[in-house]
C-alpha cells in the first residue's frame, strides 16, 4: 500500500510561526463545519486560548511526512466510503509510529509541546470522553493538531518545508499524503532532524 515514507524538517522562531502562519478566524470556521467540533478534546472550541500553553517555547520544529502510495492502492476505492476508510487506515498506520516519535522528542526536551498530524486517533471519534462531558482518558498521550489551533498547513508545507500538498481526485487517492506535525520547544531554532 505504501511505497515509501520520507520526513522533511524545518525550524523557526515560535513567535514568527504564530504571527505569520496562524489564522484562527479562518480555520475555526472550517472546524465548526466538522462533526468533531466540540466533541473531541483535540478539537476546538478550547476553554482558553491554547497559545497560553506555549509560554516559554522559543522555537517550533516542523516535520513534513510524505507518504507515497502505490498505484494499485490509489485506484482501489470504488465508493466514497471505501476511499475514506482506506485513507484513514493508511494515515492511522503512519501515525502509529509518527506520534510515538513526537512524544519521545517531547519527553527528551522538557518544556516542549508536540502537535500531531491530524485529529486525535487514540479513541475513535465516537468514543472521545468529551462527547460525554468527561475529561480526556489519555492526557499523557493525546496532543492536538496544528490545524486545530488555527495554523495554515498548506502554507506551512509549501513555504517552510518545500512540500506541495495534494488531494484525492474523485475516487483516486493522491500520489502521496502529506502529514504536518510539530514540536514547540524552549530551545533555539534547529533545522536538524528530530529523529
Amino acid at each position: 500500500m505504501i511505497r515509501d515514507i520520507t520526513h522533511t524538517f524545518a525550524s523557526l522562531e515560535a513567535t514568527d510561526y504564530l504571527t505569520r502562519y496562524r489564522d484562527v478566524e479562518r480555520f475555526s470556521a472550517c472546524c465548526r463545519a466538522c462533526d468533531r467540533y466540540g466533541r473531541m478534546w483535540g478539537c476546538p472550541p478550547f476553554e482558553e486560548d491554547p497559545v497560553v500553553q506555549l509560554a516559554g517555547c522559543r522555537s517550533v520544529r516542523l516535520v513534513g511526512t510524505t507518504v507515497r502510495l502505490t498505484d494499485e492502492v490509489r485506484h482501489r476505492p470504488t465508493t466514497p466510503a471505501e476511499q475514506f476508510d482506506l485513507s484513514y487506515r493508511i494515515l492511522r498506520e503512519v501515525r502509529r509510529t509518527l506520534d510515538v516519535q513526537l512524544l519521545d522528542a517531547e519527553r527528551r526536551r522538557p518544556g516542549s509541546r508536540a502537535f500531531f498530524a491530524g485529529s486525535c486517533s487514540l479513541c475513535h471519534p465516537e468514543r472521545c470522553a468529551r462527547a460525554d462531558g468527561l475529561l480526556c482518558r489519555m492526557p499523557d498521550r493525546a496532543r492536538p493538531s496544528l490545524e486545530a489551533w488555527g495554523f495554515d498547513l498548506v502554507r506551512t508545507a509549501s513555504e517552510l518545508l518545500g512540500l506541495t500538498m495534494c488531494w484525492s481526485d474523485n475516487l483516486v487517492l493522491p500520489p502521496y499524503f502529506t502529514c504536518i506535525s510539530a514540536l514547540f520547544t524552549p530551545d533555539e531554532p534547529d533545522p536538524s532532524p528530530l529523529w
Side-chain angles (χ1 to χ4, degrees):
M1 290 201 328
I2 296 173
R3 193 171 43 156
D4 65 66
I5 299 173
T6 57
H7 302 288
T8 305
F9 300 91
S11 183
L12 70 156
E13 296 284 340
T15 54
D16 189 27
Y17 189 57
L18 285 160
T19 303
R20 293 179 47 219
Y21 292 88
R22 189 169 185 247
D23 186 345
V24 175
E25 188 173 314
R26 177 179 168 208
F27 292 103
S28 288
C30 296
C31 287
R32 281 192 297 276
C34 178
D35 63 353
R36 295 178 182 184
Y37 184 80
R39 298 185 48 81
M40 293 181 65
W41 282 115
C43 296
F46 301 108
E47 292 178 7
E48 65 178 353
D49 184 352
V51 172
V52 171
Q53 298 175 34
L54 299 178
C57 290
R58 295 168 58 189
S59 68
V60 59
R61 311 271 305 269
L62 298 165
V63 183
T65 303
T66 303
V67 182
R68 287 180 183 77
L69 306 175
T70 64
D71 284 337
E72 183 274 326
V73 77
R74 290 185 59 220
H75 293 88
R76 186 181 299 168
T78 59
T79 67
E82 286 179 9
Q83 179 190 40
F84 177 83
D85 289 343
L86 183 57
S87 298
Y88 183 81
R89 280 189 326 210
I90 292 168
L91 292 172
R92 186 174 173 111
E93 182 64 31
V94 170
R95 291 229 0 236
R96 278 194 184 112
T97 302
L98 185 58
D99 293 357
V100 169
Q101 289 172 309
L102 286 162
L103 289 176
D104 183 55
E106 182 186 78
R107 274 189 287 278
R108 288 185 279 117
R109 293 165 180 83
S112 295
R113 174 84 175 169
F115 286 77
F116 290 161
S119 56
C120 183
S121 62
L122 294 172
C123 299
H124 198 275
E126 290 80 30
R127 290 187 230 122
C128 180
R130 185 176 187 182
D132 297 323
L134 302 172
L135 296 176
C136 178
R137 294 180 187 102
M138 294 178 255
D140 59 320
R141 293 175 40 214
R143 297 295 181 272
S145 65
L146 289 169
E147 61 266 32
W149 280 25
F151 288 100
D152 186 332
L153 298 189
V154 173
R155 281 188 61 220
T156 296
S158 65
E159 295 176 15
L160 300 174
L161 294 162
L163 301 173
T164 301
M165 298 181 88
C166 58
W167 288 264
S168 298
D169 182 12
N170 293 319
L171 294 178
V172 179
L173 295 178
Y176 58 88
F177 291 121
T178 304
C179 303
I180 308 296
S181 50
L183 182 72
F184 279 80
T185 175
D187 306 325
E188 290 290 327
D190 178 0
S192 65
L194 278 171
W195 50 80

